[in-house]
Amino acid sequence: MPAEMKRSYYEDVQPLKGGPARVWFAMLFILLIAAPFLVKSYYIYVMSLMAVNVIVALGMNLLVGNTGQISLGHAGFVAIGAYTSVMLISGAGVFFPLALLAGGLLAAIFGFILGIPALRLEGPYLAIATLGFGIAVTITIGRIDLFGGHMGLIVPKPEFAGIDFSGDRSLYYLVTGIALLMGFAMRNILKSRLGRAFHAVRDSEIAASTLGVNVASYKTLSFAISAFYAGIAGGLWAFVLGFINPGLFSFILSILFLATVVVGGLGTILGSVLGAVVITFLNLQAESIQFLPLIGDALVWISRSFMSMSGLPNVSWILTGLILIFIVIFEPLGLYGIWIRIKIYWRTWPF
Amino acid sequence: MISQIIISGLAVGSVYALMALAMSITYKASEIPNFAQGEMAMISTYIAYVLLVVQGISFIWAFLFSLLFALVLGMALEFVFIRRAKEPNLLNLMIITLGFQMVLYGIAGWKWGADQKRLSMPFSESETYDLGGGIVVSQLGLATIGTAVVLMLIIWLFLRFTRLGLAMKASQQNAMAARINGIRTNRILSVSFGISSVVGAIAGMMVAPVTTLDPNMMWDPLLKGFAAAVLGGLTSLGGVVVGGYLLGIIENLFGFYISLEFKSVVAFLIIVIVLYVRPSGLFGHHYVRKV
């Protein structure tokens, strides 16, 4: 496993360990800043979506990977965040960052409420309770005219301090900046007393409670923090998309969030980031799989002879499903596990 | 009026009960909530459609062939994927079933497209019988209720009186002891998946004429069946059937007296409330995990 030795507590909590880490981080930072000037406008949009999904994945991973709870209802939290911030801005003219924060906080309150019955539930029962919550939120939003019904809402332009954030690039910087900030916050949560308590609850509830960890309050807290991340991401997602409707926040979305975390690697921040980037990219690009050089031609041929041409975009579902299955079967640690193995291989290279 | 609503609730409830039963059979055997159940039923129904409408085979043979297909599909899910999991914990196995569900959904969409097909059944929805007192039930509704009851009886007899059924029960109760007594528990698990897939396929064929045949048709029955299973307590086969009928009736009553718009929300609200009061469902056993 991670081949890093820590000699003191302060070494453990230090953000960037050693020279190489700092250099790599600086390069990543420069790349993130330069990226919008290097690619086409569509890919700026893709990168903004990735950043949004990174935020959801961070929250999801805290709940699933670090606290050991299962949620199939995160789309509900994202929906709450999105609708709250959009309606506060267009309805009440609230200051943009404040509306975003309000969306996150409302989602957190709902997460707290959902976390209370979750205390007594385990495994599949928890999955179905959260699933029910997610679907109930989507249906309720779709049926009430105040929320725009099935047609949804048009998202107002995000602007504050005299800066208009509706352009591709400025929105990208905003979303990525918030994602970085929230990633850093998550790292600090995990390294602190809170994070260790979450891990203790995940590994053994009984052992944790005998050590004086209040299992109930940490479980609900985990739900609330996770929902807060989802709510903030929801608000940002709305601004990236430019419109919202209840169909966006379906059960499939909740599954994809869970898939993101599992593909990336449970319980690690790097895993959340990797998973979100890969799943977002696959989701957007798999529909144009038929334009790939060799595979595309083969797929078109298969569609013509055995399947149907109009159903070809459905291949992306098959692809995502197979990736999920194979990750679980062959690499339970996800992409993070692959990364760690590469790292260990080079560190101990000649041997 | 109220008895009319209850009768139509029973017809809907039969489908929920069958899905819940299918869910419960695999859950008891493996502790996995099988999310692929709905899509497995959907694919099996498509097979029935192909045999019946495209190939023109008689109804009974098409029905039997698609059930055989469902059996093989269910066993394949266990044998090919679930058995191979490196770390078979709840989350990982659940993800496998979710992945399998996506694969099946993609295949169905690829092969048959999203346009809706009609599965012609020998029972029609427009032909109705009068049960007296102004209560009418459609032929299809009656057939659904009848099939569900017969199927439940068969499953009960199977688990109670056949060697295979007893072996299934034994490996559910104590896998280690069952193995010591010479039961191949992993084969039993595979068979459990097959049987639950057959039960689901029958539910799918009951749903298809009511809605239409398209890749999304089993979403709602799956989630409701899931809800019904949790409502009744996943571990008790009788309980999940009661849960299914209860859910069907409550949903219909709610839709008629309170709000038709929020009819589909009520199922999930009931779940959250019931689980809040009884964490393992109405009839499930509350288990305490020991250190």
Side-chain angles (χ1 to χ4, degrees):
Chain A
M1 285 306 298
E4 277 139 24
M5 302 283 272
K6 310 275 166 48
R7 275 155 297 187
S8 74
Y9 177 68
Y10 293 99
E11 213 168 312
D12 188 40
V13 294
Q14 192 186 5
L16 292 166
K17 287 171 279 293
R22 273 177 214 154
V23 173
W24 282 115
F25 184 78
M27 280 167 74
L28 176 74
F29 199 71
I30 292 167
L31 190 70
L32 282 179
I33 288 176
F37 296 98
L38 303 176
V39 294
K40 278 184 290 184
S41 133
Y42 173 71
Y43 287 98
I44 302 176
Y45 163 76
V46 172
M47 287 191 299
S48 307
L49 278 186
M50 283 174 181
V52 170
N53 283 337
V54 165
I55 300 177
V56 184
L58 285 169
M60 190 79 183
N61 219 339
L62 177 77
L63 188 67
V64 180
N66 295 95
T67 322
Q69 308 291 301
I70 291 174
S71 167
L72 284 173
H74 258 55
F77 297 128
V78 175
I80 290 170
Y83 272 87
T84 310
S85 43
V86 167
M87 288 178 70
L88 278 180
I89 293 178
S90 58
V94 175
F95 189 47
F96 169 65
L98 221 59
L100 205 59
L101 204 63
L105 286 178
L106 192 68
I109 291 170
F110 271 94
F112 177 75
I113 294 170
L114 186 66
I116 295 172
L119 294 176
R120 296 176 63 186
L121 303 178
E122 275 195 331
Y125 293 95
L126 183 59
I128 186 81
T130 51
L131 187 155
F133 166 79
I135 292 174
V137 168
T138 316
I139 295 177
T140 311
I141 287 174
R143 298 287 153 82
I144 294 180
D145 288 336
L146 179 67
F147 301 117
H150 281 293
M151 301 303 294
L153 298 170
I154 301 288
V155 177
K157 280 184 181 176
E159 54 185 334
F160 70 95
I163 312 167
D164 179 10
F165 280 98
S166 57
D168 273 340
R169 274 179 202 152
S170 46
L171 197 59
Y172 163 80
Y173 285 131
L174 178 75
V175 175
T176 311
I178 294 177
L180 271 177
L181 209 67
M182 294 192 83
F184 190 67
M186 181 56 74
R187 186 192 168 281
N188 281 351
I189 289 174
L190 292 181
K191 292 280 180 191
S192 69
R193 179 193 174 85
L194 258 176
R196 290 191 300 274
F198 288 147
H199 284 152
V201 170
R202 173 192 66 187
D203 292 338
S204 167
E205 276 179 35
I206 295 167
S209 60
T210 54
L211 287 170
V213 174
N214 187 341
V215 174
S217 66
Y218 280 107
K219 269 192 188 176
T220 39
L221 191 61
S222 171
F223 258 99
I225 295 176
S226 181
F228 177 77
Y229 272 71
I232 296 278
L236 292 172
W237 198 36
F239 291 109
V240 174
L241 287 181
F243 68 93
I244 45 174
N245 62 38
L248 289 171
F249 308 100
S250 61
F251 172 53
I252 302 273
L253 188 69
S254 298
I255 297 182
L256 277 180
F257 288 147
L258 191 62
T260 304
V261 177
V262 172
V263 167
L266 285 172
T268 58
I269 287 178
L270 184 63
S272 313
V273 177
L274 289 177
V277 168
V278 168
I279 290 282
T280 313
F281 187 75
L282 272 180
N283 232 359
L284 289 171
Q285 297 299 306
E287 310 215 324
S288 52
I289 194 168
Q290 69 210 69
F291 302 116
L292 279 181
L294 267 171
I295 310 161
D297 294 338
L299 281 175
V300 169
W301 182 76
I302 293 173
S303 312
R304 285 242 169 78
S305 349
F306 306 107
M307 302 302 211
S308 71
M309 229 17 226
S310 61
L312 191 58
N314 281 301
V315 174
S316 69
W317 286 109
I318 304 181
L319 200 68
T320 317
L322 285 179
I323 288 174
L324 275 188
I325 293 175
F326 287 126
I327 284 272
V328 170
I329 292 179
F330 296 112
E331 190 57 74
L333 282 173
L335 295 172
Y336 178 75
I338 296 173
W339 164 244
I340 282 293
R341 252 193 283 125
I342 294 172
K343 213 167 151 182
I344 291 176
Y345 176 81
W346 286 111
R347 183 158 296 170
T348 58
W349 174 58
F351 304 102
Chain B
M1 196 64 226
I2 190 157
S3 41
Q4 173 66 54
I5 296 168
I6 289 178
I7 290 289
S8 39
L10 281 181
V12 184
S14 299
V15 173
Y16 296 167
L18 284 184
M19 285 308 283
L21 197 61
M23 203 74 78
S24 172
I25 292 171
T26 40
Y27 181 77
K28 279 186 77 156
S30 62
E31 305 222 322
I32 311 167
N34 184 1
F35 283 96
Q37 198 88 63
E39 313 301 329
M40 278 152 70
M42 182 266 291
I43 288 270
S44 308
T45 313
Y46 263 112
I47 296 293
Y49 162 81
V50 167
L51 292 174
L52 197 65
V53 179
V54 182
Q55 306 285 342
I57 300 175
S58 72
F59 173 75
I60 187 75
W61 283 111
F63 184 70
L64 289 178
F65 266 121
S66 56
L67 292 195
L68 186 69
F69 174 81
L71 185 75
V72 173
L73 187 68
M75 288 170 76
L77 166 64
E78 198 279 336
F79 185 75
V80 179
F81 295 124
I82 289 186
R83 194 176 290 186
R84 314 287 159 205
K86 240 183 191 174
E87 284 176 25
N89 56 29
L90 173 71
L91 182 66
N92 281 350
L93 295 179
M94 217 171 79
I95 294 286
I96 289 184
T97 67
L98 284 171
F100 193 61
Q101 176 246 324
M102 284 183 186
V103 172
L104 291 181
Y105 181 82
I107 289 175
W110 195 9
K111 174 74 192 169
W112 291 288
D115 48 330
Q116 301 172 331
K117 310 262 197 294
R118 278 207 68 79
L119 180 71
S120 50
M121 293 278 273
F123 320 106
S124 86
E125 206 182 358
S126 46
E127 219 158 293
T128 53
Y129 299 109
D130 201 328
L131 298 180
I135 303 163
V136 282
V137 59
S138 71
Q139 203 178 23
L140 185 72
L142 210 60
T144 308
I145 298 175
T147 316
V149 170
V150 170
L151 190 66
M152 286 162 198
L153 206 66
I154 292 175
I155 288 175
W156 182 73
L157 290 174
F158 170 74
L159 286 178
R160 188 87 192 232
F161 295 110
T162 62
R163 275 179 74 88
L164 185 60
L166 286 178
M168 272 170 72
K169 262 185 150 173
S171 42
Q172 283 159 12
Q173 279 165 9
N174 191 337
M176 182 71 87
R179 268 166 82 165
I180 291 170
N181 282 301
I183 296 171
R184 302 285 277 268
T185 43
N186 48 9
R187 278 192 202 168
I188 294 292
L189 189 60
S190 186
V191 170
S192 305
F193 269 87
I195 289 173
S196 95
S197 167
V198 169
V199 175
I202 292 175
M205 277 178 251
M206 296 290 144
V207 172
V210 179
T211 62
T212 40
L213 190 55
D214 70 286
N216 293 313
M217 72 165 196
M218 287 310 279
W219 270 118
D220 194 54
L222 171 79
L223 296 176
K224 300 287 172 57
F226 216 142
V230 173
L231 181 64
L234 271 167
T235 49
S236 128
L237 290 182
V240 299
V241 170
V242 174
Y245 283 115
L246 215 59
L247 190 64
I249 292 169
I250 293 175
E251 215 184 49
N252 262 18
L253 286 175
F254 187 88
F256 186 78
Y257 286 108
I258 302 172
S259 151
L260 197 61
E261 294 226 292
F262 291 96
K263 192 176 150 188
S264 34
V265 181
V266 73
F268 301 107
L269 288 183
I270 291 174
I271 298 312
V272 175
I273 294 165
V274 167
L275 288 179
Y276 194 63
V277 185
R278 286 186 61 93
S280 39
L282 290 177
F283 302 97
H285 303 287
H286 188 78
Y287 63 93
V288 180
R289 177 168 294 175
K290 294 181 183 139
V291 182

